[in-house]
Amino acid sequence: MIRKWWQDAIIYQLYLRSFKDSNNDGIGDFQGVISKLDYLSDLGVNAVWISPHYESPMDDNGYDISDFYKVSKDYGTIEDVKELIEKAHKLNIKIIFDLVLNHTSDEMDWFVAAKDPNHKEHEKYHDYYIWQPPKYNEQGDRIMPTQWRSWFGGPVWEYNEPTNEYYLHIFSKKMPDLNWRNEDMKADLKKMTKWWIDLGVDGFRVDASNHIEKNWDFPEGHPGYENFSSIPKHHEYLEEMGKEVFIPNDVFTMGESGGASQEEAIKYCGFNNEEFDMLIHFGHCWADGDWDNKITPGKWAKGKIDVKHIKYSFDKWFKMLKGEGWNIIYWHNHDQPRILSHYGNDSEYYNESGKMLAYTLYFMPGTPIVYQGEEIGMTNVDYKELNDFRDVEVFTEYKNFMNQGATHEVAMQALRDRSRDNARSPFQWDSSVNGGFSQVTPWMNTVKNYKEINLEKQKNDPKSLFNTYKSIFKLRKEESINNGDITFIDIDNEDSYTYINETDKSKFLVVANFRNVKIALSLDINIENYKNIYYNYNIRELTNYIELKPYEALVYKLDK
Ligand code: GLC
Ligand code: CA
């Protein structure tokens, strides 16, 4: 196949609301991004994926879209978008927008017509969404059609009095799900997507892409996720988008889906498929949850990090797509906590663990997505009050925790450790007020450590995390590390993260300790001629038996 630009790229995920505020209203915006394009170029990124920028009541920070064709006034104007695309292209940076096709806002005119039997366009739009009649219990009380649970923690059904029906929302109740079985609805989505392509957008990240088909038998289930996740028919819809919109217009796409078999992975992003180019999956993201915890269950409970699980997940994807498709590598996005606070150690081993995480991820093959702020080692939030948080998910889950027996402090700690808001606080540019993000109080508070952790401080320090990222990204390009072939070493080791990535010119050996205690390793490989190129304590010659300090990580290179 012909090599595509995204195979050699480094993608930056930019959380628009928190990147840079240009007009001092406390909210990041397009002019803010434009003012920082040189920064992104200097870091070495080739493409920027920008979180949803459309008109929205911001119930879910813009994933709830009320007008697909308008730019949210929080972020600027369509002229700003055009200016961004033009200026980014001059720096060889592609622009990737977030495309939300699973749901709209309940304030979108489609839904306004759909829910109101007296609206003149009711008939057309009612069927754009998913409705079910109420059920009644033995006492004759109205009950929900099923007990399915939304991803944000409440029921998936919301009652609509005027039609005496419930509508389905697998996220918040302000985000009704679209009915992909309706041809007119699909045609409208295709037209809208084409409109943004014509404006000059280079690609899309397709939100919640494995949820677009539902089980229309509506069987009982609790939580019932299998009734609205990865139902085989969703591939037909994605292929239709691919064939009719994405492929003929030569735009790049990446989907979002938790879990996939090899067959499915190839359907999503095999070289010869017609759905996406790459897939964002979550196999490695919650290797430390506790599914037995009854008070703050699942991802909300902090268990021991299962390092093997992380390695096996990456390994599985490398093997599934080897020669047949292209992998993405990333630590986290805007839906998970900050990697340095999550898999690293943001107190005692801040620098060591930050670098360890950079080495272990960015010497693997595939196209990297670096998440805004990761490159300067931003941490989880330090919020003290519930109302410091912003995410819609936080508030439903806080109630759940309290009902499940948590104290306020336990619930708050779970939010500080695990909530999505951790990744969404304002970028820490410098040590001036609000970290240089805005002159006024930002829409969500800057983390107080901005005086120590900020870009300005790291820029001129060759040993900083920022310069580590920058230098690895440069090397990635020179050595075509994206294109390598990876072999994990001693993959069953529960504490280490060790692999060789072989490229055309070199072999890169990464040896890392994922724990905050010392470990010892025996490397059963030929170690001759490997040179130590990165280290987070001291430079070290390679030996077959090696003792590693907490979070110690080393990168070796062998010229072929
Ligand atoms: C995706 C997004 C997430 C959003 C959800 C609903 O999972 O990444 O932030 O809340 O879809 O659009
Ligand atoms: Ca602003």
Side-chain angles (χ1 to χ4, degrees):
M1 89 160 237
I2 313 163
R3 203 161 170 91
K4 295 283 178 59
W5 66 263
W6 41 266
Q7 292 181 278
D8 295 304
I10 289 167
I11 300 175
Y12 189 89
Q13 185 189 349
L14 191 150
Y15 202 71
L16 187 53
R17 225 173 162 68
S18 292
F19 189 62
K20 175 71 190 164
D21 176 17
S22 74
N23 60 347
N24 292 314
D25 63 354
I27 302 173
D29 48 53
F30 278 118
Q31 283 301 330
V33 180
I34 293 170
S35 74
K36 297 292 182 187
L37 279 172
D38 287 337
Y39 165 67
L40 296 170
S41 170
D42 177 54
L43 177 62
V45 310
N46 315 88
V48 180
W49 150 28
I50 301 178
S51 52
H53 62 283
Y54 313 89
E55 186 181 279
S56 163
M58 299 291 167
D59 184 55
D60 186 23
N61 292 353
Y63 281 97
D64 50 320
I65 298 170
S66 54
D67 191 333
F68 283 124
Y69 292 90
K70 286 206 181 114
V71 175
S72 160
K73 57 179 182 344
D74 286 351
Y75 301 138
T77 64
I78 198 76
E79 293 310 315
D80 294 330
V81 173
K82 289 186 194 157
E83 186 183 333
L84 171 70
I85 294 174
E86 201 190 305
K87 292 193 167 153
H89 284 175
K90 285 207 177 112
L91 293 168
N92 284 320
I93 294 175
K94 310 260 187 201
I95 297 295
I96 300 165
F97 275 168
D98 219 309
L99 191 62
V100 186
L101 305 177
N102 178 72
H103 46 266
T104 66
S105 161
D106 63 341
E107 295 180 34
M108 158 90 87
D109 56 7
W110 298 353
F111 191 74
V112 171
K115 68 174 187 188
D116 175 5
N118 298 320
H119 193 286
K120 61 181 188 315
E121 293 193 289
H122 175 71
E123 218 164 300
K124 174 174 161 77
Y125 289 113
H126 181 261
D127 195 43
Y128 272 36
Y129 296 88
I130 301 171
W131 302 91
Q132 278 294 288
K135 279 187 180 166
Y136 294 90
N137 65 14
E138 280 169 15
Q139 289 76 45
D141 304 325
R142 189 185 68 228
I143 55 167
M144 295 186 186
T146 67
Q147 293 304 306
W148 302 355
R149 301 289 287 174
S150 112
W151 293 114
F152 292 168
V156 299
W157 299 106
E158 184 69 13
Y159 185 61
N160 181 52
E161 177 104 54
T163 57
N164 187 29
E165 289 168 305
Y166 284 88
Y167 64 86
L168 182 87
H169 62 88
I170 69 168
F171 296 100
S172 99
K173 66 178 178 211
K174 284 188 66 62
M175 297 155 81
D177 280 59
L178 287 165
N179 171 12
W180 273 74
R181 296 190 171 195
N182 182 301
E183 292 299 325
D184 292 337
M185 194 290 292
K186 280 195 294 188
D188 277 345
L189 288 184
K190 289 173 197 163
K191 194 172 115 200
M192 173 277 291
T193 308
K194 179 72 174 36
W195 190 85
W196 286 102
I197 295 173
D198 291 343
L199 201 88
V201 170
D202 302 291
F204 299 104
R205 174 265 192 182
V206 182
D207 184 64
S209 52
N210 67 324
H211 298 303
I212 58 181
E213 174 64 349
K214 319 290 176 309
N215 183 344
W216 282 78
D217 294 334
F218 302 103
E220 195 44 277
H222 184 93
Y225 299 144
E226 68 284 3
N227 297 302
F228 46 86
S229 308
S230 304
I231 294 179
K233 200 175 168 67
H234 81 283
H235 286 290
E236 285 174 32
Y237 302 144
L238 297 177
E239 198 175 292
E240 193 178 315
M241 284 299 289
K243 278 189 177 147
E244 293 177 31
V245 187
F246 301 142
I247 297 170
N249 291 292
D250 196 24
V251 285
F252 161 73
T253 52
M254 48 186 178
E256 184 200 24
S257 168
S261 62
Q262 179 170 30
E263 194 192 334
E264 261 203 297
I266 291 168
K267 268 193 193 154
Y268 279 125
C269 58
F271 289 135
N272 300 315
N273 82 336
E274 289 173 310
E275 297 184 20
F276 300 128
D277 295 314
M278 300 199 290
L279 187 75
I280 299 171
H281 51 81
F282 304 101
H284 60 280
C285 288
W286 291 106
D288 61 347
D290 176 0
W291 275 261
D292 296 326
N293 187 308
K294 296 277 180 295
I295 295 175
T296 58
K299 77 164 189 181
W300 297 99
K302 225 176 166 179
K304 187 178 181 195
I305 301 171
D306 185 345
V307 182
K308 258 169 76 171
H309 176 93
I310 301 174
K311 291 184 282 184
Y312 269 101
S313 169
F314 280 114
D315 193 49
K316 177 180 121 185
W317 278 91
F318 291 131
K319 285 183 176 142
M320 287 201 298
L321 293 179
K322 190 170 174 170
E324 312 229 30
W326 201 252
N327 266 295
I328 283 180
I329 54 165
Y330 77 110
W331 273 134
H332 74 99
N333 58 38
H334 62 294
D335 294 328
Q336 293 91 28
R338 291 272 172 197
I339 198 63
L340 211 155
S341 303
H342 187 191
Y343 290 171
N345 181 323
D346 62 12
S347 48
E348 225 183 322
Y349 295 104
Y350 176 84
N351 271 305
E352 294 80 0
S353 67
K355 287 184 185 172
M356 182 280 283
L357 291 163
Y359 304 163
T360 46
L361 186 75
Y362 294 107
F363 282 91
M364 295 201 286
T367 294
I369 304 179
V370 51
Y371 182 73
Q372 168 174 322
E374 179 194 331
E375 75 278 23
I376 56 163
M378 281 179 58
T379 64
N380 278 354
V381 298
D382 51 4
Y383 300 161
K384 295 270 180 311
E385 309 293 335
L386 186 59
N387 65 14
D388 288 332
F389 287 87
R390 292 291 173 269
D391 185 10
V392 53
E393 182 192 50
V394 158
F395 302 100
T396 16
E397 294 291 8
Y398 176 84
K399 273 191 217 135
N400 291 342
F401 302 156
M402 298 304 277
N403 290 337
Q404 283 149 198
T407 59
H408 171 71
E409 211 18 71
V410 164
M412 290 299 291
Q413 193 57 49
L415 300 178
R416 275 191 299 266
D417 286 338
R418 318 294 268 190
S419 74
R420 309 194 300 177
D421 274 342
N422 285 303
R424 301 176 177 184
S425 67
F427 192 94
Q428 295 167 199
W429 294 101
D430 54 41
S431 48
S432 70
V433 60
N434 302 316
F437 165 74
S438 178
Q439 308 266 301
V440 303
T441 304
W443 73 282
M444 85 188 282
N445 288 333
T446 312
V447 180
K448 286 195 201 70
N449 61 23
Y450 72 80
K451 291 215 167 101
E452 290 81 54
I453 300 171
N454 65 58
L455 174 68
E456 194 189 36
K457 252 191 137 172
Q458 296 188 25
K459 246 185 157 164
N460 299 320
D461 172 5
K463 287 193 164 157
S464 68
L465 211 49
F466 170 72
N467 279 310
T468 303
Y469 270 74
K470 194 174 149 178
S471 129
I472 296 177
F473 288 172
K474 187 163 170 271
L475 187 69
R476 259 194 101 82
K477 301 250 175 68
E478 290 163 2
E479 295 273 350
S480 272
I481 290 176
N482 281 23
N483 214 24
D485 188 12
I486 188 170
T487 312
F488 280 94
I489 295 163
D490 192 12
I491 193 166
D492 287 319
N493 187 303
E494 292 184 357
D495 305 312
S496 71
Y497 201 105
T498 305
Y499 62 85
I500 293 179
N501 183 8
E502 181 165 358
T503 65
D504 289 345
K505 293 191 255 171
S506 324
K507 279 186 180 184
F508 293 93
L509 166 65
V510 176
V511 182
N513 177 3
F514 234 83
R515 302 286 181 209
N516 67 350
V517 291
K518 277 196 263 173
I519 63 165
L521 296 179
S522 295
L523 297 173
D524 194 10
I525 51 166
N526 179 0
I527 59 167
E528 256 168 70
N529 299 327
Y530 271 103
K531 252 188 25 220
N532 188 192
I533 56 167
Y534 286 90
Y535 46 88
N536 59 353
Y537 283 82
N538 295 308
I539 193 159
R540 288 181 73 171
E541 213 174 289
L542 188 59
T543 46
N544 278 110
Y545 175 81
I546 185 162
E547 285 177 359
L548 299 173
K549 298 197 178 79
Y551 299 106
E552 186 168 14
L554 301 146
V555 184
Y556 294 91
K557 181 171 178 246
L558 175 81
D559 299 319
K560 291 209 288 197

